[in-house]
Amino acid sequence: MGSVVISLDAELGWGFHDLERPPLERVESGRRGWRRMLDLCAEFDVPATWAVVGHLMLESCDGVHADHPTLDGWFDRERGEWADREDLRFAPDLVRGVVDSDVDHEFASHSFSHVLFGRPETDREIARAELERSLEVADEWGESVDSFVYPRNDVGHRDVLAEYGISAYRGRSPTYDGVRGLVDSTVRSRSMLVQPTVDEYGLIDVPASLFLFGFEGPVRTVAESIWEDPMVVQARRGIDQAVRNDGLFHMWLHPNNLTRERDDRRMRAILSYLDRRRTETDLAVETMGDVAERLAVARGIDGGTVAADGGPETKTADDD
């Protein structure tokens, strides 16, 4: 059985608060895109893994977080330039839309304040604080966390994830974004399927296959004017590969990527096609947590006895 996973990095302003020049259009589009993705997932009954920055679940804070180990100046924008922008710092209303949805979404963690785990300056104390605080807030909401998505896909401190009971994380994609990725998949017919693996800490690595907004700007406009949306083409190709090869195709995005109506049309086209292929075949739509649970059972955990079969091998960039 082939399967498709969709994961979203739900972060609002926290995805950009450490940048000198945050991309204003995306900063201001976070709430719009979040609601639009909830609506589209509901329309097509597509469950997704929503990786939420824990701070968004708070109703308020002092902006100082004195008891939270972090880098010097990490919360400066929150208590300075964005002190009066609660809409960028808090979002219990949007998070409630995820956990109360009729669609069986997975609630996952995207850290507490979008710290980059793979950076040398992010020591173990900071990593533990980020994970511990996000899990505390989730517990206050009555939510458990099985999956973790690293901010900016900067993988690090996997041992900390294991220590705190996380089961799965989104690993780096073996394929390229943008024009290179389009050429690889359409001209070279390179597979976009990925194989979940178990790392040395017992965590399930569920690699990304395709970032759905990796082909933007003028090149996207030109491509759409003479052809069609290249990302829709790639997404359809990946979905079809999952159907034919019984493999896993993992798409991801940020809600703030949906800045305009044409972005809405892209996601509608992808989810509509996914829903159609699911109806026509035995294709499954899973969350990262579903994949981890399936693989755990296959490894003999919780009563499983058979060997894991993660689907066909996927070439890495170094193979070309």
Side-chain angles (χ1 to χ4, degrees):
M1 179 184 71
S3 68
V4 170
V5 170
I6 299 176
S7 56
L8 298 100
D9 301 16
E11 53 198 33
L12 295 187
W14 291 101
F16 311 105
H17 77 107
D18 59 321
L19 302 181
E20 183 177 352
R21 297 178 181 275
L24 294 181
E25 185 175 36
R26 287 185 57 194
V27 169
E28 300 299 338
S29 297
R31 286 182 165 269
R32 173 200 180 279
W34 192 314
R35 294 191 182 98
R36 194 72 188 105
M37 281 304 302
L38 279 175
D39 289 344
L40 287 169
C41 287
E43 179 179 351
F44 296 103
D45 192 23
V46 171
T49 294
W50 288 75
V52 177
V53 168
H55 193 290
L56 295 176
M57 304 171 72
L58 303 179
E59 295 285 349
S60 63
C61 75
D62 61 7
V64 178
H65 306 283
D67 296 330
H68 188 80
T70 191
L71 301 174
D72 290 341
W74 184 249
F75 292 104
D76 281 358
R77 183 168 261 127
E78 180 186 24
R79 58 177 174 262
E81 183 181 348
W82 286 353
D84 61 347
R85 294 298 307 271
E86 293 190 356
D87 58 317
L88 302 180
R89 300 159 49 214
F90 308 106
D93 55 327
L94 295 178
V95 178
R96 185 62 63 190
V98 174
V99 300
D100 288 348
S101 174
D102 290 335
V103 181
D104 193 17
H105 293 306
E106 177 187 16
F107 174 83
S109 175
H110 198 37
S111 80
F112 176 70
S113 62
H114 209 261
V115 163
L116 306 184
F117 275 53
R119 297 290 178 87
E121 59 268 27
T122 302
D123 60 25
R124 183 179 174 82
E125 181 186 21
I126 292 175
R128 293 181 83 253
E130 280 288 299
L131 192 54
E132 183 172 308
R133 186 68 182 114
S134 65
L135 295 181
E136 286 176 352
V137 176
D139 185 64
E140 291 169 5
W141 277 57
E143 297 295 326
S144 60
V145 176
D146 295 318
S147 301
F148 186 84
V149 170
Y150 284 98
R152 296 187 196 141
N153 296 304
D154 197 5
V155 176
H157 294 290
R158 288 174 293 133
D159 59 322
V160 174
L161 268 61
E163 176 186 345
Y164 280 87
I166 299 298
S167 300
Y169 64 94
R170 190 179 70 205
R172 298 185 181 93
S173 173
T175 59
Y176 291 96
D177 294 328
V179 175
R180 172 68 184 274
L182 181 65
V183 171
D184 283 348
S185 65
T186 58
V187 177
R188 299 178 180 175
S189 298
R190 179 175 179 175
S191 175
M192 288 186 285
L193 302 183
V194 293
Q195 181 167 343
T197 58
V198 183
D199 71 11
E200 64 269 35
Y201 302 105
L203 300 170
I204 309 298
D205 175 1
V206 187
S209 298
L210 179 66
F211 175 45
L212 292 175
F213 286 83
F215 197 102
E216 304 306 303
V219 67
R220 173 183 176 181
T221 301
V222 171
E224 289 179 341
S225 68
I226 61 176
W227 186 32
E228 59 180 317
D229 186 338
M231 299 311 299
V232 174
V233 173
Q234 283 187 278
R236 289 198 302 248
R237 185 180 296 272
I239 292 168
D240 288 341
Q241 287 175 357
V243 170
R244 292 193 304 269
N245 299 301
D246 292 338
L248 175 64
F249 178 56
H250 184 177
M251 300 178 279
W252 72 280
L253 70 153
H254 311 86
N256 60 48
N257 288 129
L258 279 71
T259 62
R260 304 181 184 184
E261 289 187 5
R262 72 174 186 171
D263 303 320
D264 301 347
R265 290 194 295 270
R266 168 181 289 177
M267 293 311 304
R268 170 177 287 278
I270 292 171
L271 295 185
S272 175
Y273 189 76
L274 175 59
D275 182 48
R276 178 162 71 85
R277 295 297 281 152
R278 176 177 57 181
T279 301
E280 296 171 343
T281 69
D282 63 355
L283 179 71
V285 179
E286 299 183 291
T287 64
M288 289 173 54
D290 292 334
V291 174
E293 183 178 1
R294 172 163 57 83
L295 197 57
V297 171
R299 293 169 57 218
I301 300 174
D302 293 334
T305 57
V306 298
D309 181 6
E313 292 285 346
T314 302
K315 290 168 58 182
T316 64
D318 294 335
D319 293 329
D320 285 336

